[in-house]
Amino acid sequence: TFYVDNIRQAVPATGPSVTPITFETPFDLRSFDGGDITIVTNPDQDPANGNESSTAAKLVKDAGQVWGGSVISVTEPFSFLNTTTVTAKVWAPRAGLTLLMKFEDATPFPNTIASAEITATTTVASEWETLTFDYSAINTARTYQKIVLIFDLGTVGDGSANFTFLFDDITLN
């Protein structure tokens, strides 16, 4: 008599990498509760300004909920085995805005398992800057295939230029 249980394929020590997410190739994008994400031509491609990519993601926060935002889904899981630091290039119309970033598994909402919600704050207005997110407390045993992004959490947007954000080059460093 033989019993077999909990068979798993081990993840390689280096793990797969789906970053950087540059938006030069398509990703599964969706928005929720007032967020609207699209891929656009980068309007500020000057290398001196920090992002010479030809395309970027644009998130417009319109009327809806204070948590309106967007989700990026990937087919290969993100690997936090070798690093727990994530960076993203961000262009915001105002300094002092927050960007909440969290990683989620592939389970459909409302049964999604999420990582910690990490927030970073912009320090400049109307130019690219790199924000850093520390996921040192993330559960590396879980599989994450979605990134949730919410700008200016706690504020309902109005769809204006004041609530239009760009982001690019999301990278596990």
Side-chain angles (χ1 to χ4, degrees):
T1 303
F2 298 94
Y3 296 94
V4 179
D5 192 13
N6 296 328
I7 298 173
R8 293 185 197 183
Q9 179 180 3
V11 176
T14 57
S17 178
V18 294
T19 68
I21 295 177
T22 64
F23 303 105
E24 305 296 326
T25 58
F27 286 91
D28 180 27
L29 306 172
R30 69 178 174 82
S31 300
F32 57 91
D33 295 334
D36 182 27
I37 188 171
T38 56
I39 305 302
V40 297
T41 300
N42 179 0
D44 188 2
Q45 296 180 31
D46 184 346
N49 292 340
N51 188 10
E52 58 189 88
S53 296
S54 60
T55 59
K58 178 171 116 176
L59 175 65
V60 177
K61 190 169 183 180
D62 209 338
Q65 299 295 332
V66 297
W67 57 78
S70 297
V71 178
I72 303 165
S73 298
V74 296
T75 55
E76 294 293 324
F78 297 98
S79 175
F80 288 94
L81 296 176
N82 293 324
T83 183
T84 55
T85 301
V86 177
T87 58
K89 291 181 181 174
V90 174
W91 187 102
R94 298 171 275 142
L97 291 172
T98 59
L99 170 57
L100 179 141
M101 180 187 292
K102 68 178 173 176
F103 288 81
E104 294 182 344
D105 70 352
T107 307
F109 184 80
N111 299 317
T112 302
I113 297 172
S115 69
E117 298 177 352
I118 306 297
T119 302
T121 304
T122 61
T123 61
V124 296
S126 302
E127 60 184 79
W128 287 101
E129 71 176 307
T130 300
L131 298 181
T132 302
F133 302 82
D134 177 7
Y135 284 92
S136 56
I138 199 166
N139 182 345
T140 58
R142 296 205 187 276
T143 301
Y144 302 99
Q145 289 182 255
K146 294 185 273 186
I147 302 174
V148 177
L149 299 165
I150 303 172
F151 279 97
D152 210 6
L153 179 62
T155 304
V156 174
D158 64 11
S160 69
N162 210 27
F163 287 93
T164 299
F165 313 94
L166 300 170
F167 54 94
D168 201 5
D169 297 344
I170 300 171
T171 307
L172 274 77
N173 296 305

